[in-house]
């Protein structure tokens, strides 16, 4: 079994021996895998690797490799999970509309989500808001 980071390469090794050379078929969740620019075989000595690059959440599942020739067949399988490493930044709570009297205190609360955690920059009328620790403060919770 293996866990892979989203955006990286899934590399599943199999070592195959037999004569005549056995045919190899790969399956994910019981469905045949179609090879393409993102999903392909690589070879290193007597090992064959199924590689998927870049991997995403939909690549998680049960992988099975079946090798077969006229002398028989064998199979192996493994569970692959993909760890989410990237998530588009989004506001889970955005600024509400506010009307305040001049000189009164104003608080603007927001919540953001994303992986990795997004950087926040505040501005008013296109000018950056710089915290001064007194009148202008930015609090992270």
């Amino acid at each position: 079994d293996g866990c892979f980071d989203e955006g990286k390469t899934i590399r599943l090794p199999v070592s195959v021996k037999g004569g005549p050379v056995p045919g190899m078929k790969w399956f994910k969740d019981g469905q045949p895998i179609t090879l393409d620019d993102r999903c392909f075989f690589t070879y290193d000595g007597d090992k064959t690797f199924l590689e998927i690059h870049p991997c995403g959440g939909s690549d998680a599942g049960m992988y099975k490799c079946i090798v077969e020739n006229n002398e028989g067949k064998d199979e192996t399988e493994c569970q692959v999970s993909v760890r989410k490493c990237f998530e588009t930044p989004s506001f889970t709570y955005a600024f509400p509309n506010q009307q305040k009297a001049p000189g009164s205190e104003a608080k603007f609360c927001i919540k953001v989500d994303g992986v990795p955690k997004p950087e926040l920059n505040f501005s008013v009328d296109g000018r950056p808001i710089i915290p001064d620790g007194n009148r202008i403060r930015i609090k992270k919770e």
Side-chain angles (χ1 to χ4, degrees):
D1 293 357
C3 183
F4 301 87
D5 289 341
E6 180 182 45
K8 302 293 183 183
T9 300
I10 292 174
R11 193 170 195 231
L12 304 177
V14 292
S15 186
V16 178
K17 294 181 180 167
V21 176
M24 180 183 301
K25 295 179 184 174
W26 281 88
F27 300 84
K28 178 186 168 272
D29 298 327
Q31 299 299 313
I33 294 177
T34 303
L35 300 178
D36 56 25
D37 291 343
R38 202 177 72 83
C39 181
F40 50 89
F41 293 133
T42 57
Y43 304 92
D44 184 9
D46 67 341
K47 286 190 179 176
T48 301
F49 300 88
L50 174 67
E51 294 196 25
I52 303 169
H53 180 80
C55 71
S58 65
D59 295 314
M62 181 63 72
Y63 285 78
K64 180 187 285 190
C65 178
I66 298 175
V67 292
E68 185 173 13
N69 65 15
N70 57 1
E71 297 298 318
K73 78 175 190 177
D74 198 5
E75 62 184 57
T76 185
E77 62 183 20
C78 73
Q79 181 69 42
V80 168
S81 58
V82 177
R83 184 176 31 233
K84 190 167 191 78
C85 295
F86 304 102
E87 185 176 308
T88 303
S90 63
F91 287 97
T92 56
Y93 181 79
F95 292 132
N97 290 328
Q98 294 187 35
Q99 291 185 356
K100 298 288 182 175
S104 65
E105 183 178 88
K107 289 185 180 182
F108 301 95
C109 297
I110 62 166
K111 290 183 182 178
V112 296
D113 204 2
V115 178
K117 278 289 185 195
E119 287 186 32
L120 300 175
N121 295 298
F122 297 91
S123 64
V124 63
D125 296 329
R127 295 185 317 264
I129 296 174
I130 309 296
D132 61 11
N134 184 22
R135 191 172 87 74
I136 300 173
R137 292 176 293 214
I138 297 175
K139 181 178 174 184
K140 295 181 183 177
E141 293 182 356

